[in-house]
Amino acid sequence: MPETEFSATGVRIERWARSLTRAGQVIVKDGRLALLTSYGREIDSAPVGAVSAGRPWFAGAGAAVARLNGTRYRLTMGQRNHGPDKAAPAHRFLETLRSAGGRMI
């Protein structure tokens, strides 16, 4: 089975009340999910099988919530996409995690 991969840049990563970066990166590669700052420094990472993610009811279309190592992160993708399909990056992120064995919440 080929490894599932996903990469998004310009992602706002928040630890609920605290914004960690406004232009971060989300990478799913080699069975791991990594959250990186705009400078490439790792915020958090975990094996995809240990990650749970979903779409929050209270956030916009381009947002997702992920729990890594017991910490919940809010990921807002597609901030710079002003087209009609603003939710596409978040949807692809959730589909990638689902196909790689992540849990959906």
Side-chain angles (χ1 to χ4, degrees):
M1 180 174 124
E3 288 295 323
T4 324
E5 294 190 10
F6 173 83
S7 178
T9 57
V11 179
R12 181 180 193 95
I13 302 173
E14 299 172 303
R15 191 180 306 144
W16 294 107
R18 182 175 172 219
S19 176
L20 301 175
T21 182
R22 293 184 320 191
Q25 297 178 335
V26 175
I27 299 173
V28 178
K29 186 175 180 180
D30 299 328
R32 289 190 69 80
L33 169 64
L35 305 178
L36 307 173
T37 66
S38 56
Y39 298 110
R41 190 170 45 114
E42 185 175 291
I43 295 171
D44 204 350
S45 71
V48 172
V51 173
S52 58
R55 184 169 303 230
W57 62 269
F58 54 84
V65 175
R67 182 183 295 263
L68 286 79
N69 303 319
T71 306
R72 294 184 342 180
Y73 295 96
R74 182 170 154 184
L75 311 172
T76 307
M77 301 178 200
Q79 299 176 73
R80 297 179 186 163
N81 182 6
H82 299 292
D85 201 10
K86 197 172 185 176
H91 182 71
R92 279 184 310 172
F93 168 70
L94 294 173
E95 286 299 316
T96 301
L97 283 181
R98 183 178 293 122
S99 67
R103 294 182 310 241
M104 295 298 117
I105 50 173

